[in-house]
């Protein structure tokens, strides 16, 4: 069994790219740290580090261990934080995953009221697509996730929230379609489209294309709307995305137009089945439940 201490040592070397600098950071001797890493490699039966004259780099196995070690250390910190919670007052950390959508602002307002009452509660956000968020839920690295039209799985408990997002097209303002108030699916038939890479959203959109008897011409995918905006600005294509993620007012070169017929996606709260929540996470969920009608 690998000791947590050795994983922390290994991560320090990976970060510093030097055994000497890592030893200084960890306040141990360089020979001791070097010996610890050789013992770790021997116990795993794999070379983890390539020891160069100027810097240390990771082998393929070392890169894999780095990712796993970060997850393990994060989970350990999360567990220790839950046990350190004060019995008299609620403290600790809440780990939330969410995608890019404006409705998250309603959740932020609940967090603000909680922190006014419980200043020792800390909220940690992981922003990505549904695939990455559910993966972290499975590993216990997140308490909950707010997902847009997710694929329902028996591995999770879920609740549909009264939050909705409107889909449309992000385009250059000099595009001929920019003069329109809405864009039909038929008008997109021959255009180069930039689609979200998230599986559930992509399936959601292609279903609507099929219902309109047309097939999208996809030239690229994205998982962050900022990069999608750069692709649109560069003239690569038109991005299918949700509204209000990019401010297109004023002199901004891009414009957003909603789809016709209107296409909306609902927001869901996802938690892992049989999840054991910290007091801080339970408080957040109870406040969410209390305020769900006003979201």
């Amino acid at each position: 069994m690998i000791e947590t201490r050795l994983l922390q040592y290994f991560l320090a070397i990976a970060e510093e790219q030097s055994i000497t600098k890592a030893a200084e950071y960890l306040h141990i001797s360089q020979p001791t740290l070097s010996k610890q890493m050789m013992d770790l490699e021997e116990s795993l039966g794999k070379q983890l580090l390539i020891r160069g004259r100027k810097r240390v780099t990771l082998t393929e196995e070392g890169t894999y261990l780095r990712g796993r070690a970060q997850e393990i250390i994060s989970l350990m910190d999360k567990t220790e934080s839950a046990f350190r919670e004060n019995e008299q007052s609620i403290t600790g950390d809440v780990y939330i995953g969410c995608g890019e959508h404006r409705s998250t602002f309603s959740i932020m307002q609940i967090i603000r009221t909680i922190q006014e009452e419980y200043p020792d509660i800390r909220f940690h956000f992981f922003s990505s697509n549904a695939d990455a968020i559910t993966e972290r839920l499975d590993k216990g690295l997140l308490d909950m996730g707010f997902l847009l039209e997710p694929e329902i799985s028996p591995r999770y408990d879920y609740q549909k929230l009264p939050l909705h997002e409107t889909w449309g097209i992000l385009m250059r303002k000099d595009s001929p379609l920019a003069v329109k108030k809405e864009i039909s699916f038929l008008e997109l038939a021959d255009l180069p489209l930039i689609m979200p890479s998230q599986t559930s959203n992509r399936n959601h959109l292609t279903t609507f294309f099929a219902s309109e008897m047309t097939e999208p011409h996809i030239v690229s995918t994205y998982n962050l709307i900022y990069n999608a905006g750069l692709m649109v600005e560069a003239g690569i294509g038109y991005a299918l995305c949700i509204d209000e993620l990019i401010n297109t007012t004023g002199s901004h070169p891009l414009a957003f137009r909603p789809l016709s017929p209107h296409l909306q996606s609902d927001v869901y709260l996802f938690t892992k089945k049989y999840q054991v929540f910290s007091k801080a996470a339970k408080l957040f969920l109870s406040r969410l439940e209390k305020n769900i009608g006003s979201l």
Side-chain angles (χ1 to χ4, degrees), residues 11 21 31 35 42 65 86 106-107 115-116 124 128 146 159 163-164 183 190 217 232 246 253 259 295:
L11 288 175
K21 291 181 179 179
K35 176 66 165 55
E42 184 177 349
L65 179 61
N86 192 299
S106 300
I107 298 163
Q115 289 193 318
E116 288 173 353
H124 307 275
S128 190
F146 292 93
Q159 181 177 4
L163 299 171
H164 316 281
I183 308 298
D190 298 320
H217 172 46
V232 173
I246 290 184
L259 290 167
L295 290 177

Side-chain angles (χ1 to χ4, degrees), residues 143-239:
D143 293 308
M144 65 202 72
F146 292 93
L147 308 177
L148 202 63
E149 289 292 339
E151 293 184 341
I152 303 302
S153 167
R155 302 200 309 274
Y156 310 105
D157 291 321
Y158 60 91
Q159 181 177 4
K160 184 178 177 180
L161 302 178
L163 299 171
H164 316 281
E165 296 293 348
T166 300
W167 286 90
I169 303 299
L170 190 66
M171 65 187 77
R172 291 170 57 104
K173 283 182 177 174
D174 58 8
S175 166
L177 290 178
V179 299
K180 292 179 169 287
K181 291 184 177 180
E182 297 179 336
I183 308 298
S184 72
F185 280 87
L186 290 176
E187 289 175 299
L188 300 177
D190 298 320
L191 295 179
L193 298 181
I194 303 167
M195 295 275 279
S197 58
Q198 179 179 318
T199 304
S200 57
N201 281 341
R202 192 167 64 249
N203 292 343
H204 187 53
L205 291 169
T206 52
T207 298
F208 273 84
F209 272 102
S211 69
E212 296 296 317
M213 304 296 290
T214 185
E215 187 171 340
H217 172 46
I218 302 171
V219 297
S220 184
T221 62
Y222 70 91
N223 72 325
L224 293 174
I225 189 60
Y226 179 78
N227 289 334
L230 292 179
M231 286 191 279
V232 173
E233 191 173 343
I236 294 173
Y238 296 73

